[in-house]
Amino acid sequence: MKRFFAALAALLGLSHGLSAAETCLDAGGSQNLVQTAVRALKGTGSDIQRNQTGVDVSIDVNGRLCSLCGMPLPERTDRSRRYVQRSDCGNQSLFEHPENKKKPLVQFTRAANGNQPETSAWCELNSQKVCADTLYNKDVLYQAKSIDIRLEPVAQKYDPLYCEQNGWLTDDYRALQHDFEGMKVKADEFCNSRREVWENMTLDDMVKVYYPSKARGSPTLEEGQLIGSWTCAMGSALCDIGYCAYTYCRKADGSFGIYDDCEGWDPVKGMPQGI
């Protein structure tokens, strides 16, 4: 989640010491557009500075800025599987509408209607849009396979705790890594059990909890569970559940393992049960 929230923070223009690089990943010659957006956010009073690590920002098919919009890494996919990225997202992009950070996130959720697919804050805000594509492709592990968390040392400490605090490292979730409909039911049950927490939540509400935990390097149980509830407000917890189930385990010595630190992990199949 550290990487996800870094990108979100760049979009939100929060002045909590987090900085955003004026770079663009996989965006061809569009770096200047990102620079323009960053300067525009600065003009609203944001404290965004250069950082060598950067944030995962790219340009979508409509020429809009988009955070966390990648696809599964080739070495993690079944070669017979073909993925599609949604082209109808970003209508309420935080780059263009920073005021949306103060709106209840459920306002961006809409059921499928006629020829229009369902949508949510993941899609409408173009923020962690990889989750909207996860749901569209009906692949629980789409988001998980799109990132390499070994490149994010802070997240390696923060995220497995966040996952465990929400109960997402257990075998009942791992068993559903390749069962989209089953995981959707499980994720809906999780969100329904916490509806009172997230039904009026805004992005501002979430980051006010996240930043104190980020400063310490790990979340308290209450913080981790609130952030887990935030995924429900965004539209679905399924994507983060899949990310957790695929990426982390508890090893025999009590420490967390990542990917092939965990016995039996496979880049295509994910994390085995019983570890």
Side-chain angles (χ1 to χ4, degrees):
M1 294 305 296
K2 166 63 170 62
R3 186 184 187 204
F4 301 158
F5 289 124
L8 273 174
L11 292 173
L12 292 171
L14 297 168
S15 56
H16 291 269
L18 186 70
S19 53
E22 294 181 359
T23 58
C24 185
L25 304 181
D26 301 322
S30 54
Q31 180 174 348
N32 289 337
L33 182 56
V34 179
Q35 293 173 338
T36 299
V38 172
R39 285 195 294 269
L41 286 173
K42 285 181 178 177
T44 67
S46 305
D47 183 18
I48 298 182
Q49 302 170 354
R50 292 179 183 269
N51 185 307
Q52 291 181 350
T53 60
V55 293
D56 193 346
V57 179
S58 59
I59 305 299
D60 68 14
V61 295
N62 297 309
R64 291 186 172 120
L65 291 157
C66 186
S67 74
L68 296 163
C69 303
M71 297 182 72
L73 301 174
E75 63 271 20
R76 295 179 176 179
T77 61
D78 183 334
R79 294 184 178 181
S80 65
R81 181 67 192 263
R82 295 293 181 265
Y83 293 108
V84 176
Q85 288 184 298
R86 290 184 65 164
S87 60
D88 60 336
C89 294
N91 299 302
Q92 299 293 326
S93 170
L94 286 171
F95 280 114
E96 300 167 21
H97 302 281
E99 68 276 9
N100 285 339
K101 66 183 181 180
K102 297 185 179 298
K103 296 180 180 180
L105 291 163
V106 295
Q107 290 186 8
F108 302 105
T109 295
R110 184 193 69 231
N113 181 16
N115 294 326
Q116 293 182 320
E118 64 180 5
T119 191
S120 66
W122 299 122
C123 178
E124 294 301 307
L125 301 181
N126 250 14
S127 184
Q128 199 174 322
K129 189 252 186 183
V130 67
C131 186
D133 290 329
T134 296
L135 301 172
Y136 189 77
N137 285 276
K138 297 187 176 182
D139 185 342
V140 173
L141 301 181
Y142 183 106
Q143 173 178 292
K145 292 180 176 182
S146 74
I147 61 173
D148 188 343
I149 208 65
R150 291 170 295 193
L151 304 177
E152 306 291 337
V154 176
Q156 292 177 33
K157 178 181 178 183
Y158 190 101
D159 284 13
L161 278 172
Y162 157 77
C163 294
E164 188 171 68
Q165 288 165 347
N166 286 286
W168 296 339
L169 299 184
T170 57
D171 278 349
D172 55 340
Y173 286 110
R174 288 197 184 114
L176 300 173
Q177 287 175 91
H178 300 281
D179 179 355
F180 179 83
E181 295 301 331
M183 185 68 89
K184 188 175 184 298
V185 170
K186 193 76 170 172
D188 288 346
E189 290 174 352
F190 172 86
C191 288
N192 287 336
S193 72
R194 297 190 181 182
R195 182 170 294 276
E196 292 183 0
V197 178
W198 58 263
E199 60 185 352
N200 294 308
M201 188 180 293
T202 67
L203 278 175
D204 267 357
D205 294 332
M206 179 274 293
V207 296
K208 288 175 184 177
V209 171
Y210 169 67
Y211 274 98
S213 65
K214 169 186 173 286
R216 293 191 309 273
S218 61
T220 65
L221 177 61
E222 182 179 7
E223 290 167 339
Q225 291 184 344
L226 187 140
I227 295 169
S229 300
W230 163 77
T231 67
C232 301
M234 288 290 289
S236 177
L238 180 146
C239 308
D240 273 18
I241 294 174
Y243 159 72
C244 292
Y246 176 86
T247 308
Y248 303 106
C249 72
R250 274 283 191 186
K251 298 194 294 184
D253 63 3
S255 64
F256 287 109
I258 299 173
Y259 301 141
D260 53 8
D261 290 341
C262 305
E263 185 176 356
W265 179 84
D266 182 88
V268 175
K269 297 178 180 179
M271 197 69 67
Q273 300 180 54
I275 59 172

